[in-house]
Amino acid sequence: MPIKPDLPKPPEFGAELAPTHENAETLNLLALRRSTPVTALTEPGPSPSDLDALLRLAMRVPDHRKLEPWRVLIIEGDARNKLGDYFAAALHLREPDASEAALAEERNLPLRAPTVLAVISAPVHDPKKTPVWEQQLSSGALCQNLMIAATAMGWAACWVTETSAYDSHVHAALGMKPGEQVAGFIYLGTAKQRPVERQRPAVAAKATRWTG
């Protein structure tokens, strides 16, 4: 069952914080964390207070020069149907000969979970020249924090993009500005089946020690 997090109060600006937080449960979560396939999600989803907690945790990310180069759209209830209509309309514009079955499939994508969070990468102009790439990485970190926090609270989650995330007509429907991108659609709900382990990289194959 999902838990109601008893979070500490947000620290005051400038307050001293612990440099480390040794926690075996966190290490265990990271060792075993697995996204739930989006097709395995169902009702119920997080409550408004759950989402407030999730977003508070998610936004504690590395953010060079404190630019906050991201925002989140919460999509629930009938708004999912409206988003699905935009997905289908965008597909029809891309592929005028798309079949009714293909359009119906696109229309149903946002209905796969009770809650969808659209994380928008929103790089800002920075006179000190923080690279856009660094700002985009911060958006990805927010997505990953959402995934970890959701799992820790007991909610199943899946991070996807799919074609609609890159479609300009969908961007317009979401009120996105030039230069903004969908970092991810985070689908949240309850798992109707247990995910199975997938292949993982071998550390020795992906990490090498640089010696100059």
Side-chain angles (χ1 to χ4, degrees):
M1 289 291 293
I3 63 173
K4 295 294 182 183
D6 183 18
L7 300 179
K9 292 182 179 179
E12 296 288 338
F13 176 74
E16 286 191 359
L17 299 176
T20 62
H21 298 269
E22 298 89 342
N23 190 297
E25 290 186 7
T26 299
L27 298 177
N28 188 66
L29 183 155
L30 292 171
L32 300 176
R33 192 207 68 81
R34 168 73 166 93
S35 299
T36 300
V38 69
T39 55
L41 296 174
T42 188
E43 300 275 356
S47 68
S49 62
D50 291 335
L51 286 175
D52 285 346
L54 278 172
L55 292 169
R56 176 184 155 190
L57 295 170
M59 292 181 186
R60 292 187 70 89
V61 292
D63 174 13
H64 194 187
R65 296 198 176 97
K66 302 176 286 295
L67 298 177
E68 302 176 12
W70 23 253
R71 55 194 177 86
V72 181
L73 303 178
I74 302 169
I75 304 164
E76 299 175 302
D78 189 52
R80 296 174 303 150
N81 290 301
K82 294 177 181 178
L83 181 60
D85 288 340
Y86 284 120
F87 282 3
L91 173 61
H92 182 67
L93 289 170
R94 293 195 306 270
E95 302 177 23
D97 295 330
S99 67
E100 285 300 321
L103 293 172
E105 182 178 353
E106 199 75 8
R107 190 174 289 111
N108 286 328
L109 291 181
L111 303 180
R112 294 174 293 181
T115 301
V116 184
L117 302 180
V119 178
I120 309 299
S121 170
V124 300
H125 172 67
D126 176 22
K128 294 184 178 180
K129 300 294 189 288
T130 300
V132 168
W133 172 236
E134 291 187 11
Q135 299 185 50
Q136 293 169 331
L137 289 172
S138 184
S139 298
L142 192 154
C143 289
Q144 182 65 355
N145 264 13
L146 274 173
M147 296 291 292
I148 293 171
T151 301
M153 288 173 59
W155 297 108
C158 188
W159 173 3
V160 301
T161 48
E162 300 172 321
T163 305
S164 293
Y166 302 96
D167 189 286
S168 60
H169 300 286
V170 174
H171 291 182
L174 295 176
M176 294 168 58
K177 301 174 183 177
E180 295 187 339
Q181 298 183 64
V182 176
F185 290 111
I186 310 296
Y187 285 75
L188 298 170
T190 300
K192 56 187 176 183
Q193 63 190 56
R194 296 171 68 91
V196 298
E197 177 63 333
R198 42 163 276 194
Q199 183 176 342
R200 302 290 175 176
V203 173
K206 302 300 294 185
T208 55
R209 190 163 275 103
W210 187 81
T211 58

